[in-house]
Amino acid sequence: MKSQSNLCEKCRSAGLIVPAEIVHHKVHIEPNTINDPNIALGWDNLQALCRSCHAAVHEAEYNKNKTPSRYSIDENGNVII
Ligand SMILES: [Zn+2]
Ligand SMILES: [Zn+2]
């Protein structure tokens, strides 16, 4: 966080100054990776993010791993998931 001046890396690359709140692990910490220091503490695996970027990263990964949602439209024009 300090190395990034406590700013969100994703927002900063988009030209926005937003405080970082979470250190994201690009390769996630899981039972089989937590003891690997390159993953748990490796500089290249860490990313300082704000809350909304962090949520977006995880949501994108989640959506990538599930089958696409199907949408339809009801008689009033509302989208039904
Ligand atoms: Zn951000
Ligand atoms: Zn994360």
Side-chain angles (χ1 to χ4, degrees):
M1 295 293 255
K2 207 171 176 183
S3 74
Q4 298 301 323
S5 311
N6 292 302
L7 296 176
C8 172
E9 294 184 51
K10 266 189 184 293
C11 286
R12 208 178 47 182
S13 66
L16 301 167
I17 300 297
V18 177
E21 292 186 71
I22 293 168
V23 177
H24 171 61
H25 289 80
K26 294 174 192 169
V27 177
H28 298 180
I29 297 287
E30 286 169 349
N32 60 329
T33 59
I34 194 161
N35 292 318
D36 183 337
N38 291 322
I39 292 172
L41 302 167
W43 211 235
D44 293 343
N45 196 40
L46 305 177
Q47 195 174 33
L49 295 177
C50 71
R51 238 162 240 285
S52 74
C53 285
H54 189 241
V57 166
H58 281 272
E59 195 175 329
E61 289 178 6
Y62 174 76
N63 287 336
K64 206 169 58 187
N65 292 332
K66 71 173 192 189
T67 52
S69 307
R70 294 180 181 216
Y71 300 92
S72 58
I73 305 217
D74 71 15
E75 64 273 19
N76 298 315
N78 298 312
V79 175
I80 306 165
I81 299 171

